[in-house]
Amino acid sequence: MLVRHVKRARQKTFDAIPEWVRPAVRKAFYVLHPNASWETFKEKELTRQAFIEQFFDSEAELEAYEAEFMNGVIAENLRRAYQELGNETFYDIHKADCVRYYAYIRKYKPQTVVETGVFHGVSTLAILAALDRNDSGTLYSIDYSSLLDPTDEADVARYERRRPSCSQRDSHLIPADKEPGWVVPEKLHDRWEFVTGRSQRELPKLLSKLESVDMFVHDSEHSKTGMLFEFDLAWEHLAPGGMLFSHHAGWNDAFDTFVTERAPNAEYGKTAVHYIHFDKHSQPGWGKYARKPLTASTAGASPLEPQLVSDD
């Protein structure tokens, strides 16, 4: 509780600083704080810039999508969720990943998005909000959180997000009176199809039905075998130029093994770096992406060429 009050007081102080001074203050903090790492802070910034260079025309373009994210339905419903629970345990994914999922969808307009792992539904909310803003596309989600037995430590360990990958311990366990994806408002459900079960059982059936997928997001079982299973199967069904995202890619070497052995021609990198300077863990967490190569017939085209979809 004390840590939360300190964080809020620090944020309030930072928000009172003139905007043009904030970048210098933030950098000074990471240089001077005894438990902070300037090198990791720089890695966060460089990762963001690399993602911009790969997928956007300019930093201003990403910033415009970030502003949408922070001022729309996503922020409204995260505030509602906080008020309902009275704490922050529903943050089952970092904001940086969600913003970049949102921005990527807004620009490239994927029509078929598949995710494994819903839990509270923070990333689900971000994806659905982007699809809704585009007025185009459908999200298919597979989730096992409602079937997790909290007393089965071996099973829970495969889904535990662990710090510093997420802000709170046990964020993968939804409240007893809630359903998976409870933070998603009813008005966004029209573009959402939800399946309960393990991805090992349900993902093959779903992908066989869909045949082709434009974007895939892994955030379910974080065992190496489970992650490799999802990556390999999703890659087979991913459309040329489509994107595979993996949250919590620092859990093990599954992602690196996949791109090295199964997708050697893919373009890949870090989606976001998460560094919690005050945490007892010394290592950052991160999300990663891999983009499927274009076929010969589409060589030279942009991945999922941005579509002109009206925002009206």
Side-chain angles (χ1 to χ4, degrees), residues 184-190:
V184 179
E186 190 68 31
K187 65 182 180 179
L188 294 181
H189 283 207
D190 289 348

Side-chain angles (χ1 to χ4, degrees), residues 118-140:
V118 175
F119 300 89
H120 304 281
V122 177
S123 60
T124 306
L125 171 61
I127 293 169
L128 287 170
L131 295 176
D132 181 68
R133 189 70 181 258
N134 289 346
D135 194 22
S136 177
T138 302
L139 170 64
Y140 300 84

Side-chain angles (χ1 to χ4, degrees), residues 150-275:
T151 65
D152 185 343
E153 295 191 8
D155 196 23
V156 168
R158 291 190 285 269
Y159 291 85
E160 169 68 72
R161 281 146 154 74
R162 293 184 184 175
R163 300 187 65 158
S165 293
C166 280
S167 60
Q168 295 289 337
R169 180 175 174 79
D170 293 336
S171 65
H172 62 301
L173 298 176
I174 59 175
D177 62 339
K178 303 290 186 184
E179 295 293 329
W182 65 274
V183 303
V184 179
E186 190 68 31
K187 65 182 180 179
L188 294 181
H189 283 207
D190 289 348
R191 296 189 178 278
W192 188 24
E193 294 197 19
F194 179 88
V195 177
T196 298
R198 288 187 183 274
S199 60
Q200 290 91 335
R201 179 181 295 274
E202 302 299 336
L203 187 59
K205 293 186 290 186
L206 175 62
L207 292 178
S208 178
K209 180 182 76 171
L210 296 175
E211 295 186 354
S212 180
V213 175
D214 298 317
M215 176 174 161
F216 177 82
V217 179
H218 161 81
D219 194 15
S220 56
E221 180 181 323
H222 302 310
S223 67
K224 182 172 181 177
T225 54
M227 294 171 75
L228 285 172
F229 167 80
E230 290 194 15
F231 297 160
D232 196 47
L233 186 59
W235 197 255
E236 179 183 342
H237 291 268
L238 205 63
M243 285 283 283
L244 181 152
F245 289 99
S246 177
H247 196 52
H248 303 96
W251 245 77
N252 50 52
D253 65 351
F255 185 90
D256 294 335
T257 298
F258 168 73
V259 295
T260 300
E261 298 182 3
R262 302 292 291 166
N265 296 322
E267 297 178 16
Y268 61 91
K270 291 179 180 177
T271 308
V273 171
H274 317 298
Y275 177 53

